[in-house]
Each structure stands twice: as C-alpha cells, then as structure tokens.
Amino acid sequence: MFERALALAGLYWRVLATGLCFLVFGVGGLVLRLLVFPLLHLLVRQPQRRVVCARELIRRAFRAYVDLMRLLGVLRYELSGMDKLARGGLLILANHPTLIDTVFLMAFVKNADCIVKGALWNNPFTGGPVRAAGYINNAGGAELVDDCIASLRRGNNLIVFPEGTRTGGDGRITLKRGAANIAVRGARDMTPVLIRCEPPTLGKGEKWWRVPPRRVRFVIEVQDDVAVAGFTGDEASEVLAARRLTDFLQVYFTGKYQGHA
C-alpha cells in the first residue's frame, strides 16, 4: 500500500514538474526574444558574429533546461560518443522519438544549425530565438537542400531528422529523402546519432501530461561516421545515390533502434 502511494505521489510530481518545465521553456523563449536578443543586436554589430553568439546562448539555455528537467526528476540521461561531435561542418542525422530531441542535441552540439518549421518563425515563444540564430526555414522549398549544404560549407554542424517528423506511436521509422540529398549533393559524410527514450514519452500525438509511470531515461549514442562515397560511386546519378543512401539509412536506423530496445 505504501509503495503504491509513493509511486502515485511520484507520478503526480512528474506531471507537475513537466508542466513547470513547459512553462519555463515558454517564458524563456519570450525573455530571449524580448530582452536578450535585442541587447545582443545592440552589442554585436557584425551579423555573422551575432548569429554565432545567438547560437551559443541558445546552446547554453538548452543545456540549463536539460539539467533543470533532470534536477526536477522529469528525466535522466546518458551520453556516449559525444567527442565525435567536437568537430565542425558535421551532418548529424538522428532518429526522432520525442518532442525534446532537438533540445537535447542542440544542448550538446556547438555551433549547431537546424531546419525549423516555418510556423515556428512566427511563434511568439520561438520566433525570436530561431530568427536570431539564423536557422534554416523549411519553407524554402526547392532551395532547402542548397541552404543546408551552404550551412555545412560555412562550418556549421547541421542537425537533421531524416524522418521529417517524430516517430509514430507504433515505433516504425520511415525516412524521407531530404537528408540523403544533402549528403549526396554536398558530398558530405554523415554522423548518425541514436536517441532512445525508455519508457516512451512526448511522442507524436501524445499529450504532455500523460507522463509514464516511472521517470524516463534518455540514451543518446553518437555512432561512427557513414561515408557518402559508398553511395555515389559507379557514376550513379544524384537521384540514384540519394535513393540508395535513404534505403541504407532506413535499415541502419531501424536496426540500431530495435537492436538497442
């Protein structure tokens, strides 16, 4: 009876703490938009330098946010292979099981760039940070791949979720061809990152208050690089090479994820 009451109390606390974390995220976004980034604009006049500073501020804010979630008992996390992300110009590909995968990666990757949904550019909580950091707007259409390649050539670490959205509730990973097009056309090797969340939470379509019966555990594992040259040989066209690479990554991420489940 006591153990059941203790477990119930823990569940209620995690619901409360999760709500508090979402509130902090929203308020933090407004503070960055209304106070921090306008001040940064005044202090740093050179546009590219201002973008670098904005990204570092966001990285530090996300790192503090991740630690806040851990401190409040919402989650715990384990990292491995993070030294592989200490380079520049990386094309980082990750699976996407939860709502906060981007937060985790950007908290630990320096000079990170990412593709942001167009709706977030006009969101009062996220619009300020994404604009100040110069992230890539996915509304770019046919120019999106070119924008991503240009970012990599500038030495940014580009984070891409090949699924394009969060993994569905059935756990099935289905990749789109955009990430492969970036790798093939940009002649860029890939650094895969495997993200696991046990038990599952904040998945596609899930409400934030439906927290699991126990504290979740995030495991983030940086894998060895995948060379793009193995898919662009034999005078293969870019279309064929991208198809080959997408098929490979589909098997790769599915196998890695299921192999660690």
Side-chain angles (χ1 to χ4, degrees), residues 205-246:
E206 289 188 31
K207 306 299 184 182
W208 68 264
W209 61 82
R210 296 190 180 279
V211 303
R214 67 179 188 277
R215 183 172 55 163
V216 301
R217 171 175 167 261
F218 275 82
V219 179
I220 301 176
E221 301 171 311
V222 184
Q223 311 292 312
D224 293 332
D225 287 356
V226 173
V228 72
F231 305 91
T232 56
D234 303 326
E235 299 183 354
S237 67
E238 290 181 345
V239 173
L240 177 58
R243 185 183 304 128
R244 287 175 176 174
L245 181 51
T246 301

Side-chain angles (χ1 to χ4, degrees), residues 7-46:
L8 190 61
L11 177 65
Y12 287 154
W13 166 251
R14 287 193 302 278
V15 172
L16 178 62
T18 300
L20 176 61
C21 288
F22 273 91
L23 177 63
V24 168
F25 189 91
V27 172
L30 283 177
V31 170
L32 288 173
R33 178 177 183 174
L34 298 177
L35 297 177
V36 176
F37 289 134
L39 182 61
L40 179 65
H41 189 83
L42 292 175
L43 296 177
V44 182
R45 306 305 300 176
Q46 205 279 329

Side-chain angles (χ1 to χ4, degrees), residues 115-132:
I115 302 170
V116 178
K117 292 181 179 179
L120 296 180
W121 282 71
N122 300 313
N123 184 294
F125 301 104
T126 59
V130 300
R131 290 174 184 274

